Each structure stands twice: as C-alpha cells, then as structure tokens.
Amino acid sequence: MKKRFFLILLVFITIFAFRFRSEPIFVAPKNWPKTSYDFKKNPLTPNKILLGRALFYDPILSKNNTISCSSCHSQYTAFTHVDHSLSHGIDDRIGNRNSPALTNLAWHTNFMWDGAVNHLDMQALAPINHPSEMGENIKNVVAKLQHSHLYPDLFYQAFNDSIINGERLLKSISQFMLTLVSSNSKYDSVVRGEGMFTSQEERGYLLFKKNCNTCHTEPLFTNLQFENNGLSVDPFLKDYGRFRVSQNPQDSFKFKVPTLRNIEFSYPYMHDGRFKKISEVLNHYVSQKSKVSNLAKELSEPFVLSPNEKVDLTAFLLALTDKHFLFNPSYSYPREVFFGRANGK
Amino acid sequence: MKVKFLFILLLLFSFRLQAQNKVLPVLLSPVFGEQKLYLGTDWYHIALADSIQIQVLKFYVSKLRLLEKSKVVWQEENSFHLVDLENPTSLKWNLLIPPTITFSQISFDLGIDSITNVSGALGGDLDPTKGMYWTWQSGYINFKLEGFAPSSSANKNEFQFHLGGYQYPFLACKTIILDQINEAGFVIEIDLKKVLVQADLNKVNHIMSPSIEAVKWSHWVQKSFSISPE
C-alpha cells in the first residue's frame, strides 16, 4: 500500500514539474488590456511559430512564387512596406492600399483598413487571393506545400503528423504574427519607471495626451476603431473605406485607426500612403477639414500647434520606436529553416 | 479485489452496449420540378422560352436536430456538412442516433451561423480550402449556385449566386424545419425550380457578397426544401 502511495506521489510530482517547466510563450506586457485572440483555440508552440515564420517569409504563397508576406511587411520597417504608398504584388501590380504595420495583433479584433477581416486566422486569405497581391488561392498553396521538400517535415514537427490543410496553414501564420509584440520603446521604459523622457519628449507627451490619445490610445496607440479623419478623397482610388464592408453610409471614408508605434519607420502614412513625413501628417491635423457629417468629433476643430510644439510632439512620436522589435532575430528571415534543411536534402 | 474490478468492467461494458447508436440514413436529392437534377449538360425549363443549366451546386447544412412535437430530442455534435452535387457521398448522411428516441421532425440551418463565422480558421468541411469562404471579406459562403441561362444578360449567359452574410442586416443563414419524417430514414428534396422561377436572371445574375439581394435569395432557397413523399 505504501509503495502505491509513493508511486502516485511520483506521478503527481512529474506532472507538476512539467507544468512549471514550460514557460508561457506569449506574455502580455504588464498593465496592458486583455488580448482579443483566443489562444486556447490555437496554443502557441515553438515549432508552430517557426512554421508560421517560414510561411511568412516564403514566396510559395504567391501564384508565381515571387511575393511573400514579408515583401510588403518587412521587419525593419515595423512590418510594413516602406517607401511605397500602395502595396506591390505579383508582376509588379499595384494594390489599392498602403500595407499596414503588423504590431500587437493579439489585441486586434478586426483587420485591414476597413475591418473586412474578422479574425487574425483569416487575414492571410485576403492577400493570398488578391489579384494585385499574391494572386493565388489557398487550395493551390496547400497543394504546393504538400509537394515541397520542406513543409511536410515542418508540419510534422508542428502538429505531430504531416497533414497540411488550410486550417493548419492559417493558424500557423497566426502563431508567428501573434509573437510580433512591440512593447520596448523608450516610451515603454518610461512607463515602467526604467527610463526618463527628455524635457522635449515630455512636452510632446503632454501634447499627445491632449490631442491624439483619444484615437491613438495608449498603450496600443490605437483605439482599434474606424474613424473619418477628414482626408480628401483620392479621385483615382475612390476608396470608401469601412462603407464597403458595412454598407452603412455613416461609415463612408472611415478607416481603422493605425498604431503609432514605430511610426519613425512605418512611413508613408494613411490608408493610401499619401504622406511621406510625420510633419505632413501633423500639418493635416492642424488644417481645416471639409465639414463631412461623420468626421471624427475630435477633429471638428483643427489642432492648434506652434512650430515648436510640432517638434516636441514629433520627439515624443520618435520615442515610440522599438529597436528590440525592429531587430529581434526571432522575427527575422528563418535562414536556418530554408538553407539548413534545403542543403541537407 | 479482482472480482470488484471485473464487476466494474462489466458495468462499463453494459453502459457501452446501451449507448450503442443506430444509423439513420438521410438522402439529399436535388431536383428541378419533376426531374432529377444533374450538373453540366442537362437543360431544365423554367418558362416556355427559357431554360437553365447548372454547373455548381454547393451548400452548407449545419446544426442538424431531430424533434418530436417541436422539442429537440437529438442534436448532432460538431454538425457541419458541405453538400456538393459533384461529390455523391456528400448527399448521403448516416446519422448516429440513440435507438430509443422517437421523432417526427428534422431541423437544420442552411449555412453557417454567425458565431462560427467569427471563430477563426476551422477544419474539416469548414476548411477555407473547400472554396466556400470569401477572401476579400471574412465570412462563409452558405450556398453556391452557378450555371447558364439564355435569359442571363451576363457574359456567356452565365449566372453565379454566392449567398452568405453573418452580420445584421444581411444575415443569410436560414433555419429549415421539415415535418413528417420517417424514423427509418428519409429523403430531403431541394427543388431549384422553386428558387429560379422567382428570379429575374436578366436583371440579377451575380451575387457575390452579403446584401439585401443575398438575404432574399436565401429565403427562396430556404423554401425549396421538402421531405420527399415516396
């Protein structure tokens, strides 16, 4: 009887040891809001994240194997497409919107500038299928992956069997995207009490809280809502924004409020990339807007900012740059996966 | 000790035996009026001077339930079925039900409910590789009907109806309840003539997104289901 007791005890100890050994992969920064992504339905594991990372960087997702997610979402520019107002796709086709920065996606409830995508898992379907982006379809992508030398192995390591299907493909890409958390800017270190703003940044922070924080709400620097910020309508693109999804006239020309994190590197700005510099963005907000009925109420009167205040505010915005994020090796091109294995075969 | 163990084992087995399910065969039979419906080559008359040809018929059936006097007596777990006329096995369901229940009605949804629509990537019949998921805007396509009709004013006289929508005011998922089903098995008919006689293919020959038109069509499709009398 005693023997049996010890046996049971041993089993319990082993279970507990395992429980405590595995550290959670995703840790939300302290005092941040709750994440929206349901991790229980897609628990992160290192092998799934690695698979997702390989998929993110692999042009196999596009019709002619030339464009990967990273083509328009490169790490060094906060996972957006620097210097291009509109995203580029296969055969040098030009899309109709500026590619958004991929940051802190676990907190987002809908995706794209107009919120057309309702779940992070389903996001990748849009660029994969868009004729001016990857021009492919997910059924073909799955077939290509099944016939590749690389992926049956990677799927096996991630899922314990080498079945490749749409669900696993999409969830793996989500796994990688969920790890893209930016929370180590100078601003964050000040909030944590580890660093100090310069007096200029401090003045800029006060101006930010007065003028910008309602929509670009801390700590995500977006309220995740859709707003009309009074941009004139581009006669070529004729982009109605959120209206296309909701068919509600009150949503005309509303776009999702983008995060300001890493704004230093995520230029150009706005849904159509019309502004190249932060100064142009600030000039937009201090200028008189046309009186449209659904203009964000915070913008009904233009901001009043002196030239010095604009410089101060810009100094604060630059304190949102997160070098840990921009240069984190675990987000970068997985050379070891593509070359380590391909050569070995 | 041993005897006790055996007793428990026996008890477990007897429970298993009792829980042994029986098979309820259900067939889906797409028809066009009096005729059986085939994809591809056959022409079906809608009006004196008009006829149609069907190339694609695919739809989701979900939340299968059996009822007795409007009370649910059984519901299928994880109940999602992609019905595709091109795939004969998808037209035949073998439902595993408890042997003791009595029922006279079946209820199911034509399409995918709103919660499932916002639940991220799903597998099986709900896998986005099945071609029943929109890409530019999230959401399942509940019902797909494609073909040709001389009355269609579109290119090559084609028509394409992709019905879906999970958000108010364009909710397209419809519940269907059918009465007087046989406990030994039955055939559910879907009569596309009932749908297409109401359509004006000259005016509307494409539905590709959630809209008022998609909701109207979904209602027509909802009314085209019945229990085969034979």
Side-chain angles (χ1 to χ4, degrees):
Chain A
M1 205 60 198
K2 228 175 183 181
K3 232 180 184 176
R4 193 180 286 174
F5 174 76
F6 276 111
L7 206 73
I8 291 168
L9 198 71
L10 202 71
V11 168
F12 268 97
I13 288 170
T14 328
I15 290 169
F16 268 93
F18 270 103
R19 270 186 79 92
F20 286 113
R21 229 185 56 175
S22 62
E23 279 173 35
I25 295 167
F26 186 92
V27 184
K30 242 186 170 173
N31 300 325
W32 278 34
K34 263 183 100 169
T35 51
S36 299
Y37 192 85
D38 187 354
F39 286 93
K40 275 186 219 130
K41 284 190 184 156
N42 188 19
L44 301 191
T45 70
N47 286 344
K48 286 179 187 168
I49 293 168
L50 184 66
L51 168 61
R53 189 170 144 212
L55 291 164
F56 187 88
Y57 281 96
D58 199 332
I60 197 169
L61 263 52
S62 66
K63 185 175 186 177
N64 59 7
N65 304 321
T66 58
I67 299 285
S68 72
C69 305
S70 68
S71 303
C72 292
H73 299 283
S74 70
Q75 181 182 6
Y76 303 119
T77 61
F79 289 99
T80 178
H81 201 184
V82 75
D83 230 12
H84 288 281
S85 52
L86 302 172
S87 60
H88 286 219
I90 55 167
D91 304 329
D92 277 344
R93 288 179 211 162
I94 297 177
N96 34 18
R97 284 185 184 150
N98 180 14
S99 76
L102 309 182
T103 312
N104 301 334
L105 297 172
W107 284 266
H108 289 232
T109 43
N110 42 38
F111 303 85
M112 308 293 261
W113 283 104
D114 55 12
V117 174
N118 66 24
H119 196 287
L120 184 61
D121 293 354
M122 307 327 258
Q123 169 58 41
L125 285 173
I128 288 173
N129 278 267
H130 196 292
S132 301
E133 294 182 37
M134 290 168 160
E136 186 49 290
N137 75 66
I138 187 166
K139 202 174 167 185
N140 272 343
V141 174
V142 167
K144 284 197 279 186
L145 296 178
Q146 283 166 343
H147 290 102
S148 81
H149 290 298
L150 187 62
Y151 284 98
D153 244 16
L154 288 178
F155 274 79
Y156 182 84
Q157 281 160 30
F159 294 98
N160 294 326
D161 65 58
S162 53
I163 293 169
I164 301 177
N165 58 33
E167 181 190 11
R168 287 180 172 187
L169 166 68
L170 294 172
K171 281 187 164 169
S172 304
I173 300 175
S174 283
Q175 293 241 342
F176 173 64
M177 291 196 290
L178 287 163
T179 66
L180 304 177
V181 176
S182 175
S183 63
N184 282 305
S185 64
K186 183 169 186 187
Y187 157 83
D188 296 293
S189 70
V190 173
V191 168
R192 287 196 295 258
E194 296 160 3
M196 289 242 297
F197 282 137
T198 64
S199 52
Q200 189 178 42
E201 288 163 349
E202 186 66 51
R203 289 196 300 273
Y205 185 33
L206 293 176
L207 288 166
F208 168 83
K209 285 204 276 197
K210 186 180 159 209
N211 293 299
C212 321
N213 200 24
T214 319
C215 294
H216 296 284
T217 317
E218 301 167 74
L220 298 170
F221 290 89
T222 164
N223 60 359
L224 307 173
Q225 300 299 306
F226 301 89
E227 304 288 357
N228 180 346
N229 68 347
L231 291 172
S232 59
V233 179
D234 183 315
F236 177 74
L237 296 170
K238 290 196 193 78
D239 192 338
Y240 286 82
R242 180 85 179 139
F243 172 77
R244 187 182 73 149
V245 176
S246 71
Q247 306 280 313
N248 179 354
Q250 270 305 307
D251 286 338
S252 296
F253 310 114
K254 282 190 181 178
F255 293 91
K256 191 170 167 187
V257 175
T259 180
L260 302 182
R261 285 184 172 274
N262 300 302
I263 187 171
E264 182 182 0
F265 290 93
S266 63
Y267 61 93
Y269 308 112
M270 305 295 153
H271 64 276
D272 54 6
R274 67 177 70 185
F275 299 139
K276 288 194 170 58
K277 295 176 183 156
I278 294 176
S279 60
E280 293 174 59
V281 175
L282 295 184
N283 285 339
H284 166 72
Y285 285 113
V286 297
S287 66
Q288 192 71 46
K289 317 276 175 310
S290 52
K291 291 272 181 242
V292 284
S293 66
N294 66 352
L295 183 73
K297 60 180 188 305
E298 294 82 3
L299 302 177
S300 52
E301 292 302 323
F303 297 175
V304 182
L305 292 171
S306 71
N308 277 342
E309 286 177 325
K310 282 186 194 169
V311 176
D312 292 347
L313 184 53
T314 306
F316 169 72
L317 293 174
L318 300 186
L320 298 176
T321 294
D322 178 355
K323 291 267 164 70
H324 297 269
F325 180 78
L326 298 169
F327 301 104
N328 186 339
S330 59
Y331 300 159
S332 63
Y333 183 80
R335 202 175 302 273
E336 67 279 12
V337 174
F338 291 127
F339 293 107
R341 282 157 211 258
N343 290 344
K345 289 255 163 178
Chain B
M1 196 72 187
K2 229 175 185 176
V3 176
K4 222 182 207 174
F5 180 67
L6 274 175
F7 180 70
I8 290 170
L9 212 70
L10 204 73
L11 209 71
L12 278 172
F13 263 97
S14 63
F15 268 113
R16 260 192 75 88
L17 280 179
Q18 216 182 32
Q20 194 73 260
N21 286 330
K22 75 168 189 183
V23 173
L24 173 67
V26 180
L27 287 176
L28 277 110
S29 171
V31 298
F32 200 93
E34 303 289 294
Q35 293 163 272
K36 205 162 163 49
L37 186 75
Y38 295 100
L39 291 183
T41 48
D42 293 24
W43 287 91
Y44 302 93
H45 295 284
I46 326 178
L48 266 181
D50 198 13
S51 50
I52 63 149
Q53 200 183 60
I54 307 286
Q55 300 294 325
V56 175
L57 175 64
K58 261 171 113 169
F59 55 92
Y60 278 114
V61 169
S62 64
K63 274 193 200 161
L64 278 176
R65 289 165 179 194
L66 296 171
L67 302 90
E68 174 68 7
K69 292 175 188 148
S70 299
K71 269 198 183 142
V72 178
V73 293
W74 173 82
Q75 54 186 11
E76 190 180 39
E77 270 176 51
N78 201 14
S79 183
F80 299 102
H81 300 262
L82 177 57
V83 179
D84 182 354
L85 192 45
E86 206 159 0
N87 172 16
T89 56
S90 73
L91 300 170
K92 192 178 175 189
W93 306 329
N94 285 322
L95 307 180
L96 290 175
I97 59 166
T100 48
I101 55 168
T102 54
F103 52 89
S104 57
Q105 293 170 303
I106 183 166
S107 132
F108 53 87
D109 281 1
L110 174 71
I112 304 298
D113 66 280
S114 299
I115 291 172
T116 308
N117 262 291
V118 296
S119 298
L122 300 164
D125 275 357
L126 295 176
D127 194 296
T129 52
K130 305 284 179 189
M132 294 293 277
Y133 197 90
W134 275 308
T135 57
W136 62 275
Q137 176 178 2
S138 296
Y140 282 97
I141 299 168
N142 293 334
F143 180 91
K144 240 186 203 187
L145 178 67
E146 296 177 10
F148 299 102
S151 61
S152 165
S153 54
N155 186 23
K156 298 179 204 154
N157 300 117
E158 63 175 16
F159 60 83
Q160 281 182 314
F161 295 103
H162 295 181
L163 311 180
Y166 66 91
Q167 272 175 313
Y168 181 82
F170 306 129
L171 286 166
C173 182
K174 297 283 179 193
T175 302
I176 293 164
I177 301 175
L178 302 172
D179 293 330
Q180 294 184 330
I181 58 173
N182 186 333
E183 284 191 7
F186 49 93
V187 179
I188 299 174
E189 265 183 10
I190 165 170
D191 185 356
L192 289 185
K193 191 173 185 180
K194 288 182 187 166
V195 178
L196 284 157
V197 289
Q198 303 187 70
D200 183 350
L201 297 178
N202 188 33
K203 272 194 192 141
V204 179
N205 37 53
H206 283 78
I207 299 177
M208 310 297 276
S209 60
S211 61
I212 293 171
E213 203 65 29
V215 174
K216 188 170 88 184
W217 269 74
S218 301
H219 183 70
W220 291 345
V221 178
Q222 178 190 23
K223 297 288 172 205
S224 72
F225 284 82
S226 64
I227 296 293
S228 175
E230 44 99 51

